Amino acid sequence: MSQDPNCIFCKIASGKIPSKKVYEDEDIFVFHDINPWAPVHFLMIPKQHIASMAQAGPEHAALLGRMMVLAPKLAVEQGCTPYPEGGFRIVCNTGTHGGQEVHHMHWHVMGGPRPWLKG
Ligand code: AMP
Ligand code: ZN
């Protein structure tokens, strides 16, 4: 699995940096955002180092599809009110103009009653 030794999210996915884990399997790691904007706010990452959504290619389609199908299940497990009264928001900041700060692809999944701090 390709990892970047200098990448903070690679280190979180491999357990070298501690995190509040939500879910893990062979390919996917999910953990709480350290600085939440919403009552529920976790991050979903592939364990392999993909710098951003801009690098997603056909070889990642199955992985990204699995992540997408997992998101609603984890959102409800983490306390989001079910759709349609509740629901959640998925955000994937990509590149400088997209507001990306950590260059390991990640999806913010946010939910819970409003108002939120951001988002
Ligand atoms: P982005 O602007 O989309 O790159 O957002 C990066 C997100 O990663 C921010 O919401 C940070 O709060 C979050 N973050 C950074 N370092 C950590 C960490 N060690 N554990 C959990 N979340 C983190
Ligand atoms: Zn990485």
Side-chain angles (χ1 to χ4, degrees), residues 20-38:
K20 276 176 68 189
K21 184 165 83 174
V22 168
Y23 172 88
E24 177 175 18
D25 65 30
E26 211 184 319
D27 304 311
I28 299 167
F29 197 87
V30 183
F31 56 105
H32 288 280
D33 196 293
I34 206 164
N35 194 9
W37 310 346

Side-chain angles (χ1 to χ4, degrees), residues 64-87:
L64 297 176
R66 286 194 50 234
M67 287 172 62
M68 194 55 94
V69 169
L70 188 58
K73 180 174 173 285
L74 295 181
V76 170
E77 281 177 15
Q78 289 304 309
C80 292
T81 307
Y83 174 92
E85 292 78 14

Side-chain angles (χ1 to χ4, degrees), residues 19-20 23 26 40-41 43 51 55 79 111:
S19 67
K20 276 176 68 189
Y23 172 88
E26 211 184 319
V40 177
H41 186 174
L43 302 175
Q55 280 74 36

Side-chain angles (χ1 to χ4, degrees), residues 3-4 7-11 48-50 103-104:
Q3 300 236 297
D4 176 342
C7 169
I8 182 171
F9 284 1
C10 282
K11 289 182 191 166
Q48 64 177 276
H49 183 82
I50 304 170
H103 288 266
H104 179 128

